Amino acid sequence: MPATTSFKLRHRHHALLLSASVLAFSAVCAAAPSVAQAATAHKHAAHSAAKKVKKPAIAPAAVAATPQRAAAPVQHYAAARPARMAVPAFVDHSVENVIVTGSALSTARNTSANPVQIVTAKQIQNTGASTLSEFFQRLPSVGSSGTYNTQTNGTGGASCLDLRNLGQNRVLVLIDGKRTTLNGDSNCVDLNAIPLQQVASVEILKDGGSELYGADAVSGVVNIKLRHDLNDANITIKGSITGYGDNPVGQISGYKGWNFDHGKGNLTLFGSYMTQGGIMQRNRAWAATPQSNNPASASSVRYGSSITPSGFLIGNTSGNQYSIANGQSTTYDGKRYNFGQEQSLVNALQDSNLTADTHYELNKHFDFYGNAQYGHKTSSTFMAAQPIASVPTSIYVPANYPGNLTGEDATLYRRLTEYGNRRTTTALDTFTGKLGVQGEIVHQWMYDLSYTYGKSQDTIQTRGVGNYLNTMREFGLVPSNLSDLSDPNTTYSYNPNSCAGYTGCVQSSALEPLSKEAAAYGNYTSRAHTTYQLRDLNLRIHNNHVVQMPWANGGDLGIALGMEHRGEQLTQTPDPMVQEGNTFGNPVAPTGGGFNVSEGYAQAHVQLLKNAMLAHDLSIDVQGRYSSYNTFGNAKNWKAGINWAPTQDIRFRGTIGTSFRQPNVYESYGGQAISFNAATDPCAQASSYGALANAVTANCAARGINTATFQQAGSGQIPTITGGNSKLHPETGRTYTFGAVLTPHWIPGLSTSAEFWHYTVNGMIGSLGTQYIVDSCYTGTDTAQCSNVVRSSNGQIATVSAVDQNIGTMIESGIDWDTNYRFRVSPHDTLIVDNNFQRLLTYKQQQTPGGQYYDFLGSIFYQGGSGQPITRDYATLTWQHGHFAVNYMMQYTSGMRWNNGTNDIVANGNARISTPAMVQNDISFDYSWNKWAFTGGIQNINNKKPPFLVDAATNTNTAQYGGFMYGRTFFLQAGLNF
């Protein structure tokens, strides 16, 4: 404990010092970074031998984002920033030909049939977000099925994106249009490891992209464009802190770019450092005492965990419960332990990054480029002391054990506070290197040949998990099966001299606290390692103007071709003691595997008519991809789109295509592990099942359980076996969208679009929910699930098996409506209104292939999991006056019904069944002065708290309502260009 406290205080001290320094500096200068390079996303295809113009210290990206009436389909979430002054050199950027995510061809901005949302660095900056993850959670299209900083149990400090609530494994995240290195432990692109200040813009393809980008692009593609090709320098600092005085954040970043050889070449270096202090759960009153059940009667509410430091026993024959006091069993007193006082609510993070980017244009045929990125990220999170539970390593106290007055063998439940709180620290090193050459082959046929190598290494250290055999030795307990420490049939014999011959072993009692010396012998710190490698050879060829259509008002034919050979390998090696089950933590088997895939793709874009009667633009687009996997054979995917603009004021568009996703390494080869999932034993809540209550009571009785007296041990969690399945099949799907974009010339500055979208995913890979499995068994709705439920001799559920499988089909649909309106109210004042709206129409899923569909529309999995709100909205209002701007931001999430993974909860006495609609308000201020740019603001102005949900851990849903968990937060930022 002293070491833990010391480290924690040092970490907090350093974070506070950096944050305080940043805040003090910002207060003197004003507040917020230069975004002068926000519009300088790397365009290798557009490198010019001409000398580059130095970028001003204002925000030209805003000019590039201004909507053009002649082109419209891109959803301009970020189209809202005016320039701080006229910047004629950048005006043409908004109409230049660029490659936008969703196409391999360079076309005029906003003329693609694909629904693409663009976000600029300025929009991200104005929110005060410390990581990309924090910003993305604001967007209605970003779901809560990902991994976020407010999820601290088992996430390793990673943050993974989810689109449309289809899961983080069904969205493809690219860096500068190409694949990048994953966090091997989480099997995703870790958004916490991407330096925020290096981001120039983000393009979100809200449509399937497997036909162009390959597997994983089921729900869409997120292309994060970084700043490149710079010829100036910048330093930016930022600080933030909550109104509670915690989670101090300090950030410092800088870059320097040089042109050389008369502008033919460029070298840009970038570096950044960020520290975030984290939040302890005890420092938020709404989360400090976790509720573990949702009973009909208020008098039956339980808080915390039944597993206390003093512990209790459950008779293996009678099932009776007994408390432990003064080293012996006694009448059960029902005491609970508040673990919320000891665990983290938000991860503590530290992130360092270095990037080198260069290119040299020998001539128009050969433009060589290279990029190297290195990142080192550490995270830290606390959990309450390790409990001794019925699994994974049970402790049975024999009837003759000193202090066991029950008269029978009994199972021990006790929290090992002597070992200190569990602390998990994760260190992630990520490297991505890319080398390539591009240019013109002949007659406007362009090529881009590149090779990417990436590697990440993750080390996870968890302190306080305990050494099982050493602890048993000190307790005087000898397990009967030393070859399988997780064997539920293991029995124990009592040996009062078990420590004899073992240095450091202190003979102790399982029914009394351990001494300091005994705890030192029995404790253990586990270390796990994960390594991921990516090799990607990529060739892209395209010509935007192959031939012009041979009829009046005919447009051009564009063709793109490409090939890719990619290999991915992953190994995860848990601590040897964890693999053996020789700790009190969750046993995990090693994982190892990989795949290779060779792919080819083609795209054709034909502008059938342009500037014709009722055909200002009529284009069709077809794409196809052929993939050959060494694991699953061959796959073909295609997509077709149409884009029709009768006039310059309105445009209609639509797409239809297929998707494909092969099982990832964890899904195919992942070793089995035990996870403690939030779920309630049906035998402990039989009366809550309404018409099925009698069936539950009968099925529990058939297993020797009296539902009138039975109580579930623990804190509303059930041990669940998870892991991969080598028999999985790839997922397939179908996606289609159609909509319209309106940019009326009679209302200058207005652009609005509406889009209907629909996803179908067949053979969806996943695991059944723990609550669904136990409910299906005990209600009798699917008795086949009973084979996945194992009970101990004392009646408690020992394990539920929920390994990955192809569980059936998911169908989701909805409507997006995006509006941007920019209008000048005076020569010096501009108002900008930007709104991003999503209405969910369908969200249903099969739990078994060919089985019934469960309707989750408007529901939230209250025990932990995603929410499917019917309505989400993100609106911004900006007033720009010269060099000064005020930005107001609002997030809206509609209320949801609680769902246990099977059905929505129905009203039952005092039981809670829903969450209300939630609104978050933010404000920020911008000011530019010479080469300085400042931003400051307040997140969650009203200090609104997240809504209550019984998740048996935090009293809310940490993925859906993460933005409210911090409370009111103040931030300041200052940047200098030179």
Side-chain angles (χ1 to χ4, degrees):
M1 285 296 293
T4 302
T5 304
S6 176
F7 184 95
K8 181 180 175 183
L9 288 174
R10 289 199 304 272
H11 177 82
R12 179 175 175 82
H13 179 66
H14 293 162
L16 284 168
L17 280 176
L18 179 55
S19 183
S21 300
V22 169
L23 288 167
F25 181 85
S26 301
V28 172
C29 300
S34 170
V35 293
Q37 312 306 331
T40 58
H42 201 20
K43 303 183 185 70
H44 283 126
H47 282 317
S48 171
K51 187 173 182 179
K52 305 295 188 294
V53 179
K54 186 175 181 179
K55 313 301 191 286
I58 54 174
V63 179
T66 303
Q68 302 297 310
R69 291 196 305 271
V74 174
Q75 297 174 3
H76 259 263
Y77 169 85
R81 285 296 167 268
R84 302 295 170 83
M85 61 177 71
V87 193
F90 292 92
V91 172
D92 289 342
H93 282 189
S94 59
V95 296
E96 69 179 344
N97 283 352
V98 296
I99 294 179
V100 177
T101 304
S103 175
L105 292 166
S106 302
T107 56
R109 245 187 235 279
N110 298 344
T111 60
S112 167
N114 296 300
V116 177
Q117 179 176 335
I118 297 178
V119 180
T120 67
K122 185 59 180 173
Q123 261 111 20
I124 299 173
Q125 172 195 307
N126 284 339
T127 66
S130 299
T131 64
L132 271 178
S133 172
E134 287 183 26
F135 173 79
F136 280 136
Q137 284 182 280
R138 296 169 172 263
L139 304 183
S141 59
V142 173
S144 54
S145 296
T147 303
Y148 303 103
N149 292 329
T150 49
Q151 296 168 293
T152 59
N153 188 352
T155 62
S159 183
C160 311
L161 186 65
D162 160 49
L163 281 182
R164 306 291 197 199
N165 264 337
L166 290 178
Q168 64 189 41
N169 51 357
R170 295 180 185 87
V171 59
L172 179 61
V173 178
L174 306 174
I175 301 291
D176 291 325
K178 297 182 180 178
R179 290 180 182 259
T180 189
T181 309
L182 303 183
N183 177 326
D185 186 60
S186 300
N187 203 55
C188 72
V189 175
D190 188 354
L191 300 179
N192 286 340
I194 298 175
L196 194 62
Q197 299 300 330
Q198 195 176 355
V199 175
S201 64
V202 179
E203 295 177 352
I204 304 174
L205 171 63
K206 298 190 288 187
D207 188 9
S210 295
E211 74 294 332
L212 193 62
Y213 299 101
D216 305 331
V218 177
S219 60
V221 179
V222 175
N223 184 17
I224 301 169
K225 294 188 173 182
L226 304 181
R227 299 179 181 181
H228 302 269
D229 207 16
L230 307 175
N231 193 34
D232 62 349
N234 171 274
I235 187 169
T236 298
I237 60 174
K238 175 189 173 184
S240 70
I241 196 165
T242 73
Y244 297 91
D246 55 14
N247 197 44
V249 175
Q251 290 178 311
I252 182 168
S253 65
Y255 69 79
K256 179 68 177 81
W258 299 268
N259 285 335
F260 56 88
D261 195 8
H262 307 289
K264 289 185 176 182
N266 179 268
L267 172 66
T268 300
L269 302 178
F270 184 94
S272 67
Y273 174 77
M274 185 273 283
T275 179
Q276 173 177 295
I279 299 174
M280 294 299 292
Q281 194 164 322
R282 60 175 172 265
N283 294 327
R284 296 295 182 271
W286 52 266
T289 307
Q291 185 172 323
S292 59
N293 69 335
N294 186 36
S297 172
S299 61
S300 301
V301 173
R302 294 195 301 271
Y303 298 95
S305 171
S306 63
I307 304 178
T308 64
S310 58
F312 68 97
L313 299 171
I314 296 182
N316 288 356
T317 302
S318 66
N320 294 331
Q321 293 181 278
Y322 308 88
S323 291
I324 299 172
N326 301 317
Q328 62 184 23
S329 59
T330 185
T331 303
Y332 186 64
D333 57 18
K335 288 183 178 179
R336 312 282 295 182
Y337 172 75
N338 185 3
F339 57 84
Q341 295 293 306
E342 311 297 338
Q343 65 185 26
S344 297
L345 193 65
V346 175
N347 293 307
L349 299 172
Q350 289 185 337
D351 188 22
S352 305
N353 290 273
L354 291 173
T355 300
D357 183 81
T358 187
H359 88 91
Y360 184 78
E361 186 177 23
L362 186 64
N363 53 46
K364 70 176 184 177
H365 302 294
F366 298 100
D367 187 356
F368 298 93
Y369 62 89
N371 181 276
Q373 301 173 9
Y374 170 75
H376 176 74
K377 187 200 73 175
T378 60
S379 67
S380 175
T381 188
F382 287 91
M383 292 185 67
Q386 179 69 53
I388 299 174
S390 59
V391 290
T393 43
S394 305
I395 297 181
Y396 293 160
V397 178
N400 66 340
Y401 192 84
N404 181 4
L405 308 182
T406 66
E408 59 180 324
D409 292 350
T411 304
L412 174 66
Y413 293 80
R414 170 152 126 51
R415 195 169 294 272
L416 295 168
T417 51
E418 303 96 315
Y419 292 168
N421 292 335
R422 287 167 289 175
R423 181 172 186 266
T424 299
T425 55
T426 302
L428 173 68
D429 290 280
T430 304
F431 171 79
T432 304
K434 179 170 59 181
L435 294 174
V437 58
Q438 62 183 0
E440 182 180 6
I441 302 172
V442 65
H443 301 309
Q444 300 186 58
W445 282 96
M446 312 300 293
Y447 75 97
D448 182 355
L449 175 65
S450 66
Y451 178 77
T452 301
Y453 174 78
K455 184 176 182 179
S456 69
Q457 292 183 307
D458 207 5
T459 300
I460 303 174
Q461 175 178 292
T462 304
R463 188 169 61 193
V465 296
N467 182 310
Y468 176 72
L469 287 179
N470 282 4
T471 304
M472 293 301 96
R473 187 174 294 119
E474 292 191 312
F475 286 167
L477 294 171
V478 182
S480 61
N481 186 358
L482 292 174
S483 62
D484 183 4
L485 300 180
S486 299
D487 182 2
N489 297 314
T490 294
T491 59
Y492 298 80
S493 58
Y494 173 57
N495 179 3
N497 299 307
S498 55
C499 277
Y502 292 93
T503 304
C505 183
V506 180
Q507 204 71 50
S508 308
S509 170
L511 308 183
E512 293 183 281
L514 294 172
S515 67
K516 182 179 179 180
E517 294 74 18
Y521 179 79
N523 205 352
Y524 186 71
T525 297
S526 67
R527 294 171 179 84
H529 303 277
T530 302
T531 300
Y532 167 86
Q533 289 189 83
L534 165 72
R535 296 175 176 87
D536 188 14
L537 178 64
N538 198 301
L539 173 63
R540 301 174 179 180
I541 299 173
H542 77 274
N543 187 334
N544 301 309
H545 313 287
V546 176
V547 65
Q548 185 172 358
M549 296 298 97
W551 51 77
N553 299 102
D556 291 334
L557 166 67
I559 293 178
L561 304 168
M563 64 78 61
E564 181 177 10
H565 180 76
R566 186 174 79 256
E568 297 184 47
Q569 287 76 40
L570 184 148
T571 58
Q572 184 187 51
T573 308
D575 188 281
M577 299 276 278
V578 173
Q579 294 183 48
E580 296 170 4
N582 193 18
T583 71
F584 291 99
N586 303 354
V588 180
T591 296
F595 65 88
N596 296 303
V597 57
S598 297
E599 302 177 286
Y601 73 85
Q603 178 186 1
H605 180 88
V606 184
Q607 190 176 31
L608 299 175
L609 293 171
K610 63 178 181 179
N611 300 322
M613 177 69 69
L614 295 179
H616 180 72
D617 177 19
L618 176 61
S619 304
I620 59 173
D621 189 277
V622 292
Q623 303 173 6
R625 191 178 188 95
Y626 176 82
S627 305
S628 178
Y629 288 86
N630 69 328
T631 50
F632 296 101
N634 305 327
K636 303 180 184 70
N637 289 283
W638 58 268
K639 186 177 185 178
I642 185 169
N643 195 39
W644 173 44
T647 71
Q648 66 175 350
D649 299 317
I650 190 167
R651 182 179 298 271
F652 301 94
R653 61 186 178 183
T655 66
I656 182 170
T658 61
S659 64
F660 172 88
R661 188 180 78 87
Q662 88 281 6
N664 61 42
V665 175
Y666 280 110
E667 291 166 336
S668 292
Y669 311 112
Q672 292 192 348
I674 290 183
S675 173
F676 286 80
N677 294 348
T680 303
D681 190 330
C683 297
Q685 58 172 9
S687 62
S688 68
Y689 287 89
L692 296 174
N694 290 335
V696 173
T697 301
N699 285 320
C700 293
R703 292 161 175 80
I705 299 173
N706 183 352
T707 58
T709 58
F710 179 79
Q711 293 188 35
Q712 178 180 350
S715 56
Q717 297 173 325
I718 293 179
T720 305
I721 299 173
T722 61
N725 181 354
S726 61
K727 298 181 180 179
L728 292 173
H729 302 291
E731 298 175 346
T732 60
R734 178 67 58 87
T735 305
Y736 58 87
T737 68
F738 60 84
V741 185
L742 181 66
T743 53
H745 70 275
W746 62 88
I747 309 179
L750 174 64
S751 175
T752 185
S753 67
E755 203 89 30
F756 172 82
W757 47 268
H758 185 281
Y759 293 89
T760 300
V761 182
N762 300 310
M764 192 169 185
I765 299 170
S767 60
L768 296 176
T770 304
Q771 192 70 59
Y772 171 83
I773 293 173
V774 296
D775 282 354
S776 297
C777 171
Y778 283 88
T779 60
T781 55
D782 185 1
T783 55
Q785 298 298 336
C786 293
S787 62
N788 294 318
V789 183
V790 177
R791 286 190 180 271
S792 301
S793 58
N794 60 20
Q796 299 291 325
I797 293 180
T799 60
V800 169
S801 180
V803 297
D804 289 329
Q805 56 184 289
N806 293 100
I807 59 177
T809 298
M810 171 181 278
I811 299 174
E812 183 183 14
S813 66
I815 294 175
D816 290 342
W817 179 24
D818 299 287
T819 300
N820 177 257
Y821 187 30
R822 178 178 184 270
F823 57 98
R824 188 177 298 277
V825 294
S826 78
H828 301 288
D829 296 276
T830 301
L831 286 178
I832 306 159
V833 180
D834 198 58
N835 194 68
N836 190 215
F837 173 88
Q838 176 180 280
R839 177 82 174 183
L840 201 60
L841 301 178
T842 307
Y843 193 99
K844 58 184 180 180
Q845 179 181 333
Q846 292 175 325
Q847 303 284 30
T848 55
Q852 76 173 91
Y853 282 96
Y854 292 86
D855 187 359
F856 297 130
L857 179 66
S859 300
I860 185 169
F861 301 128
Y862 74 96
Q863 295 165 314
S866 63
Q868 288 69 238
I870 292 176
T871 302
R872 290 189 66 191
D873 190 77
Y874 183 49
T876 63
L877 174 63
T878 298
W879 168 52
Q880 178 82 42
H881 178 78
H883 293 270
F884 177 76
V886 180
N887 313 283
Y888 165 74
M889 294 148 281
M890 185 277 295
Q891 303 172 59
Y892 172 82
T893 302
S894 61
M896 286 175 278
R897 303 178 303 276
W898 291 11
N899 190 289
N900 62 10
T902 307
N903 300 300
D904 288 338
I905 301 299
V906 297
N908 183 22
N910 291 321
R912 304 284 287 272
I913 63 171
S914 64
T915 58
M918 298 294 293
V919 176
Q920 179 175 324
N921 299 290
D922 310 311
I923 193 169
S924 67
F925 306 88
D926 300 339
Y927 182 69
S928 296
W929 176 67
N930 293 331
K931 295 182 178 181
W932 290 88
F934 306 95
T935 298
I938 305 173
Q939 300 169 337
N940 194 359
I941 300 171
N942 308 101
N943 196 29
K944 199 161 189 176
K945 300 170 178 60
F948 173 78
L949 287 96
V950 181
D951 70 334
T954 62
N955 289 339
T956 192
N957 186 299
T958 56
Q960 184 69 58
Y961 300 110
F964 296 96
M965 294 172 62
Y966 299 88
R968 185 184 294 116
T969 300
F970 305 88
F971 69 93
L972 291 173
Q973 183 169 304
L976 172 65
N977 268 30
F978 54 93

